[in-house]
Every structure is written in C-alpha cells, then in structure tokens.
Amino acid sequence: MCAEILNPPPATVHPGLLRRRSVLKGAAVLGGAALLTACGGSGSSSPATTNPRGITVKDQRGKTVVFDKPVTRVVTLPMPAASMLIAVDQSPEHLVGMHDASWTAVRDGILGTIFPAALKVTHDVGDQEFVPNVESIVALEPDVVIQWGDRGSGIIAPMENAGLTVLGLSYGTQDDVATWTRLFATMLDKPQRAEAIISNIDDQLGEMTSLGDSRPSTGPSILYFFQITESINVAGSNSYNDSYINLVGGTNPAADVEGPSGIVGVDAEQVLAWDPDIILIGNFDVAMPADVYDDPVWQNLTAVKARRVYKVPLGGYRWDPPGQESPLMWRWLSDIAFPAGKGAALRSQVVTDYQLLYDYQPSDAQLDMILRIDANRESANYRQFDAT
Amino acid sequence: MAVVLVGVTLVALSVGRFPVPFLHVVQVVASHLFGIEGSASAVEGNVVWLVRLPRVVLALLVGGGLGIAGAALQATFRNPLVSPEIIGVSSGASFGGALALLLGLGSLFLVAGAFVFGLAALAILFVLTLDRAGAPMLMVVLGGVVTGSFFSALVALTTYVADPYTTLPAIVFWLLGSVASATFAKVLVAAVPILGGAVVLVLLRWRINVLSLGDEDATALGLRPSPLRWVVLVSTSLIVAGAVAVSGVIGWVGLVIPHLARMWVGPDHRVLLPVSFLMGATYLIVIDTLARTVTAGEIPLGVLTALIGAPAFFVLLRRNRDKIWDSA
C-alpha cells in the first residue's frame, strides 16, 4: 500500500506545479509521503521497490526496469541529469558518460571545482538534439542510460535495440526533480539520499509557501527574461519560472501569455506596457543587468529606474529551471522581491545545502561567484548578499 | 502606391501593445524631427521613437528590398520561379549571421558576418561561372543552387554544434526571420546596401526590360547581356545580404511580391521595379504590425508572410491567370 501511495503515476506530474493551489495539494501529498516512509523498507518512497529479485524502477514513460544490483555505470543525456545524479551520489564516480552541454556546465560552473573528476567523464554520447551516439555509449558499458522520455522514441529506440537499458524522463516541474531524485537514488541503492534531498526541498517549499501567503496579494511584478539580447523571450503562465514568482508572493506580468514550453517571444513594446517592478535575466542569455541599464529603450521602466534588474545565480546548475538547488532560487528571489536585509541567511543556506547536496563547503569567493555579486553590484538591495 | 505606403507606415506607427494616442505619435515624431515639444510622455517617446519607428522602417527597407530584388532577378533570369534565395546569397548571409550568434559575438558581428558571407556566396558564384563564355544563365542558376546548398549545410552545422540551451534558441529565432530586434543602427546598416542596390536597379530599369527579352534580342538591340546581368546580380546580392543581416531569412516576399506587382502594373520594369519596392515594403509593414500586435506573444514573421500571402496570392492567381507571366 505504501508503494502505491508513494508512487504517483506520471499523470500526476503536471506543469505549473508550484502555483499556490497545487502547492497545498503537493504539500499534502509530500507530507503523507514523509509519514509513510516509516512504514516501508528501503525504496518505498521512490517510484520503485526493492524486491528479492533486484531493484525495480519505473521511468516517466511508465516502463518498468529491473536491475539485479545497484547500478555502477550511468550515462546521462538530459542536461540537468548529470548534476542531479552527482548530487544524489555526492560523487561523479558512477557517472561514466554525460551530454556535452552538461559537461560544459560542469566545467564553467562550480561543480568542476567541487568534483574535478567529473571533468574527466566522457562527454561525446549524443548530439545537440539528444540523438544518442549508440556505439560510443555501448563502448562505455553502462548499466543504464538516462534519456528524455518525452521527445519521441527516435532517440530511445536505437539504444534499446542495441541492448542498452534506458530510463526515459520528462522535465519541467519541481515534481520532476523529486521523481528524478528518487529514481537515481533507487537505482544507486541510496534511498536515504532521496529522502534527505527531497525533505530539504519540501521543508523549504513549506517555509516559502507560508512566507509567500503571508505577503500582500499584490506583490511586485516580476518579469523573467529567458532571452533579451537578440530576441525577447519571457516566462509565460505555464512556465516553471512563473510558479516561483508566484510562490514568493510576486506577480508575473506575462501570466496571460502561453508558449509551448512556457517561454514566449514578445515585442519590446509589450514589455514597456507591462512595466515590471523587477526584471530577472536568466542564464540562457549572455546579457547582464548593466546591458539593460544602458539600453535607451528600457530607460523608463520602473525596474530600471529603481535599479531592480538582476542576473539569476548559477550554482551546481543554473538556478532558473527546476533542480536540486531550486530552494535557494526561491529564497534568493524572495530576498530580492521583498528586501529585508536577510542576504546573510541565504549565504549560510547555500553553505548548508551544498553540504547536503555535494558534501562541500563553498568559500566566500565561491559564494560571491554563485550569487553573481559582481554582475549585480549596481542593482538595488544586492549589498545584503555581500560577505560579512 | 507611395501614398498607400505612407498611410500604412503611419498606421503601423500608431498601433502596438503599448497604447499611445495618435496625436502623441505625431508629436513624438515632430519633436525628434523638428524639435517641437509635445505633451507625449518620455515612455511614449521611447515606444514610438526607439521601438516602433526602427521596426517599421526596417520592415519597409527589407520588404521593399526583397520585392525589387525579386523583380529584377525574375527579369534577368527570365524565370518566374527565381527569388533572392536562388542565387545562394541568402544562405551565405544566414551562415554568416548564425556563425556570429554561435560564437556569441555582438550584433555588429552578426550584421558584418551576414554581409561578408552573403558577398562570399556571390564571389563563389563568380568563380564557378568564370571562363564560361558568356556565363549562360543555367550555369549561374546551377551555381547559385550549389552555393546555396553548401551554405545551408554550414548553417545546419552551426545549429548542430550550438549549445541547445544558450545559443541555439537565438540562432533558430534569427533564422526564422524577424525585424523584432530593430534599432536605428540596424536601420542604417540595412539602408545603405538596400537603398544603394535598389537605386542601381531602378537606374537600370529600361536595360532590365531589354534583358528580359532574352540574350539574343538584347544583343541585337546593342546591349551586352553578361556584364549587365552581373551588375544586377551584385545589386540584388547587396540588397539581400543587407536584409538578411538585419532580419534573418524572410521568405516569400521576394518571390511573390514581383508577381503581384506584375499582375497589377504589367511587365514594364520601368514601373514594375519601383512598384515592387513599394508593394514589398507595404506588405512587410502590414505583416510585421500584425505579428507584434495581434497577441501579447510575438508571432513569427515567416509564418504570417506565407499564411496571409498564400491565400491572397491564390485568389489573385485565379483571377489573373493569363496575366501572370505570358505577357512578360
């Protein structure tokens, strides 16, 4: 029974999970999960059960896979999967291959410093469209290959035909992060890791939910720019970014536009018409706050006049999409949107979470790098994040 | 037609997602041009002057340029299926732009890259057809197709090696064709080659008339078709490279606008060339205005040019079947 309750079918993974209503529902489900963990054995809190015949996991395509023993050789293709696997394992030792874009994120971010061994992992396992390089993957002799499960069978079938074991995943909500974490922890036979990571996320989600709910119903309007340099793309209503803007008590001026992945192209005029109080520049564009401050087109925006344009931090992975470091993103955004000089608390939370996720203590200089202190120096209320 | 264009430009300047009263639009333009102070707010001034105006002017230049380039090429090759894409310059220019985006270089390099590689495609075409006595048209078209395919492959290569989360979306958006990122700097960059090329074409208008009769007739009338054809090619390449550099590849306009113009004013290039420019400009301004105003989200220009243009073209084609090419 535990397993049934604790293994929500993929259908329950819906977009916009973090909108208030869903948050409550999610909290109830997750609260139940925490309770019920007590009644099950190892793996009972993951989409899998350990049985005498081995480790059984169910991927997000609904396919069930049985491993004889914990996996030791994993290849990942979805970009965020590599850093998440490293976080669950607290080591890159079981990661034998990853997508090149994951590798460059490791190289350019802080993960490469924390885990130098991750830089030696093979990264020529597929192309930019995630079409696997079957032969190079087979040569790595992986126990399992992690691949996108929602982008058609064309990128999975060639690997399965070659006799590889593939887990198909989907992505876009905080629920997916929990599902991936459980899946990875189960196949590595480290169920306690999933519990530790997920309960940390849930605790902070609960905290943030009550904090957000306690705030006035019309918080500052926050516009997230996915891209701003050549084309303007913002986070619309069904995006993950929209969910955390609402979570902290802000409002998304672009909430009435929708795009296939939540990201929509808009006209500069539309941005001027929305006139957001706060602008977030994501990690998928090279632009920095200074670029926005200097552009004559944006001079009359409230956010520019109040110097409230911010570059989103970049930690073990980008903070914009859902990931293991998302609670830090929520706290950061909350401190930005409702400045109360609590920046030091965020710094210590980063230290705490990195201890949990990567068993690593970041230095002050590394914290500055993660929080992009330099890029955001000219922006209002950012001094709160300075090292004390 | 010129009156229609001016009217359309004014309407385009006064509509948008940010509400600005028409009077304020006029005041903003007047205050910038003649220093007359109006009651428009600073933000309205920015919207009209920095956001709308460059965009509308850019649509005008690109649409007009593609229209006249298409008309000149169709006459030169005496083929109704020819469009600026066929001589390979579009592909060359799009590779240059995509390369600049891939390397994360700034807008200046984007424009320069598109320009340099657009002209490089033309240079390759020159070399391919060099020493072929008189460069028969077949060689030029074939060379253009080959050059175009080569650069298309290079564009595919850039998207293949681009980071799917950072550079790829920018490249894809740019390739789709859009004037959304218009600035006065881009207007200037587009204006020089497009207007320069267009002026040359208009000056050559009666020679293009002769050229469209065929090489033998042209020779008989005392023209040397081959050098003239190259002058037309270089001019259209300038126009196309300038257009692609600032707006990516916008299809359809260069192929269909000349046909629409021909249905309307007939095959005389003395009239056809300027009318193609005006029609192309009007068409693209209308389409781009729809793209930015209909929904809060931006509709890709390429989608609208064909979705609206194709049925309109179809209707006209049914009505004017006999006029479309036979008489040209």
Side-chain angles (χ1 to χ4, degrees):
Chain A
M1 180 208 164
C2 288
E4 245 173 69
I5 291 172
L6 296 168
N7 301 345
T12 61
V13 178
H14 52 83
L17 170 84
L18 279 176
R19 258 173 245 127
R20 294 267 166 83
R21 201 176 50 234
S22 327
V23 166
L24 294 177
K25 207 166 70 188
V29 169
L30 291 164
L35 255 177
L36 285 159
T37 313
C39 75
S42 64
S44 66
S45 57
S46 66
T49 47
T50 306
N51 63 35
R53 289 171 296 144
I55 297 172
T56 308
V57 295
K58 193 171 170 190
D59 73 6
Q60 286 173 296
R61 292 177 293 166
K63 184 176 171 159
T64 304
V65 173
V66 181
F67 299 106
D68 300 337
K69 55 181 177 50
V71 300
T72 55
R73 300 182 65 79
V74 184
V75 169
T76 62
L77 283 138
M79 282 217 352
S83 73
M84 221 178 278
L85 184 85
I86 291 174
V88 170
D89 213 8
Q90 284 187 311
S91 148
E93 69 166 312
H94 296 124
L95 181 66
V96 294
M98 64 174 132
H99 193 264
D100 186 58
S102 307
W103 185 83
T104 51
V106 169
R107 182 193 62 194
D108 301 338
I110 195 171
L111 269 194
T113 314
I114 302 177
F115 302 111
L119 291 170
K120 299 199 181 77
V121 173
T122 307
H123 48 95
D124 65 342
V125 294
D127 72 3
Q128 300 305 338
E129 302 299 320
F130 301 96
V131 176
N133 185 337
V134 178
E135 292 193 21
S136 66
I137 294 175
V138 169
L140 293 169
E141 299 177 358
D143 297 329
V144 62
V145 181
I146 309 297
Q147 173 63 296
W148 294 113
D150 53 1
R151 301 189 180 193
S153 63
I155 55 171
I156 290 185
M159 292 193 283
E160 291 187 325
N161 293 342
L164 293 165
T165 304
V166 181
L167 294 179
L169 305 185
S170 44
Y171 185 56
T173 69
Q174 203 64 41
D175 250 4
D176 292 331
V177 174
T179 307
W180 288 26
T181 308
R182 290 204 172 93
L183 207 70
F184 293 170
T186 307
M187 67 187 196
L188 292 163
D189 198 23
K190 291 185 170 180
Q192 73 288 357
R193 285 294 296 154
E195 283 331 297
I197 292 171
I198 293 169
S199 68
N200 176 51
I201 293 176
D202 289 345
D203 289 349
Q204 299 198 52
L205 179 62
E207 241 178 85
M208 201 49 70
T209 307
S210 45
L211 189 62
D213 285 344
S214 70
R215 284 172 172 156
S217 57
T218 50
S221 62
I222 304 173
L223 188 60
Y224 169 86
F225 281 93
F226 181 74
Q227 278 163 336
I228 189 171
T229 306
E230 268 303 314
S231 54
I232 300 177
N233 286 289
V234 301
S237 62
N238 53 342
S239 64
Y240 176 72
N241 318 81
D242 177 81
S243 61
Y244 55 63
I245 289 170
N246 290 316
L247 174 72
V248 304
T251 55
N252 180 7
D256 55 345
V257 289
E258 260 184 55
S261 59
I263 301 296
V264 262
V266 296
D267 172 22
E269 234 175 89
Q270 180 64 66
V271 174
L272 292 172
W274 281 328
D275 192 20
D277 298 319
I278 295 172
I279 285 176
L280 304 179
I281 306 170
N283 283 301
F284 299 97
D285 194 308
V286 292
M288 292 290 169
D291 300 314
V292 176
Y293 293 140
D294 292 344
D295 191 331
V297 171
W298 307 125
Q299 287 316 299
N300 299 99
L301 284 179
T302 306
V304 170
K305 285 192 279 197
R307 312 295 275 182
R308 295 182 87 180
V309 179
Y310 303 94
K311 184 76 180 179
V312 173
L314 170 66
Y317 191 64
R318 300 177 171 102
W319 281 13
D320 340 28
Q324 66 273 17
E325 293 182 30
S326 293
L328 298 170
M329 173 67 192
W330 308 333
R331 281 178 186 274
W332 175 82
L333 186 59
S334 170
D335 290 343
I336 295 286
F338 300 90
K342 293 191 298 182
L346 175 69
R347 284 181 84 97
S348 61
Q349 188 68 46
V350 176
V351 173
T352 312
D353 281 11
Y354 272 47
Q355 199 71 50
L356 167 79
L357 292 170
Y358 313 117
D359 192 18
Y360 182 81
Q361 170 126 24
S363 68
D364 268 338
Q366 286 170 333
L367 287 173
D368 287 352
M369 196 180 87
I370 293 168
L371 295 171
R372 295 186 183 272
I373 296 286
D374 271 342
N376 291 317
R377 184 158 295 287
E378 298 302 314
S379 299
N381 310 312
Y382 217 78
R383 283 299 164 104
Q384 62 174 322
F385 299 118
D386 281 355
T388 44
Chain B
M1 196 64 220
V3 177
V4 174
L5 177 60
V6 171
V8 165
T9 306
L10 279 179
V11 171
L13 272 181
S14 14
V15 296
R17 301 295 300 179
F18 191 96
V20 182
F22 181 71
L23 193 64
H24 286 188
V25 172
V26 177
Q27 281 173 348
V28 168
V29 176
S31 80
H32 279 277
L33 292 182
F34 314 112
I36 304 164
E37 286 309 312
S39 56
S41 69
V43 64
E44 286 175 338
N46 271 356
V47 166
V48 174
W49 194 254
L50 293 178
V51 178
R52 271 183 213 166
L53 189 65
R55 195 167 169 165
V56 171
V57 174
L58 203 61
L60 184 155
L61 286 171
V62 170
L66 292 176
I68 194 170
L73 286 176
Q74 289 178 3
T76 314
F77 290 104
R78 301 179 58 226
N79 186 328
L81 292 177
V82 169
S83 68
E85 286 85 44
I86 210 89
I87 48 172
V89 177
S90 290
S91 303
S94 43
F95 169 66
L99 191 66
L101 287 173
L102 176 72
L103 300 176
L105 306 171
S107 312
L108 189 70
F109 286 92
L110 173 74
V111 170
F115 212 76
V116 168
F117 280 94
L119 292 181
L122 187 72
I124 294 175
L125 188 60
F126 261 115
V127 174
L128 274 177
T129 52
L130 211 65
D131 297 332
R132 302 272 181 281
M137 273 180 305
L138 180 66
M139 276 306 293
V140 178
V141 172
L142 202 55
V145 171
V146 170
T147 319
S149 319
F150 176 73
F151 279 109
S152 300
L154 287 180
V155 170
L157 185 68
T158 18
T159 57
Y160 176 79
V161 296
D163 183 328
Y165 284 81
T166 51
T167 45
L168 187 61
I171 293 177
V172 169
F173 182 83
W174 181 76
L175 287 175
L176 262 181
S178 167
V179 289
S181 58
T183 59
F184 278 118
K186 285 193 176 178
V187 168
L188 195 66
V189 164
V192 175
I194 291 178
L195 292 181
V199 165
V200 172
L201 291 180
V202 171
L203 289 177
L204 291 175
R205 58 195 181 276
W206 69 266
R207 287 192 179 84
I208 293 175
N209 260 352
V210 176
L211 204 58
S212 70
L213 297 173
D215 285 8
E216 282 168 21
D217 287 342
T219 314
L221 287 166
L223 263 182
R224 289 173 58 214
S226 188
L228 178 61
R229 190 173 294 121
W230 280 112
V231 174
V232 173
L233 277 184
V234 171
S235 308
T236 50
S237 299
L238 269 176
I239 295 176
V240 172
V244 172
V246 293
S247 61
V249 179
I250 295 175
W252 181 266
V253 178
L255 175 66
V256 169
I257 290 296
H259 286 290
L260 290 177
R262 203 176 291 111
M263 283 178 204
W264 188 38
V265 298
D268 183 349
H269 290 87
R270 288 174 301 177
V271 187
L272 180 61
L273 289 179
V275 166
S276 293
F277 187 95
L278 296 175
M279 277 183 90
T282 309
Y283 183 69
L284 203 60
I285 292 177
V286 169
I287 294 294
D288 183 55
T289 306
L290 289 176
R292 67 188 167 87
T293 52
V294 171
T295 63
E298 182 103 19
I299 304 170
L301 207 56
V303 173
L304 280 182
T305 48
L307 267 189
I308 296 177
F313 185 62
F314 180 76
V315 170
L316 281 169
L317 201 59
R318 294 283 302 173
R319 285 200 196 146
N320 304 284
R321 251 178 300 191
D322 50 331
K323 280 202 211 157
I324 178 114
W325 186 256
D326 295 349
S327 51

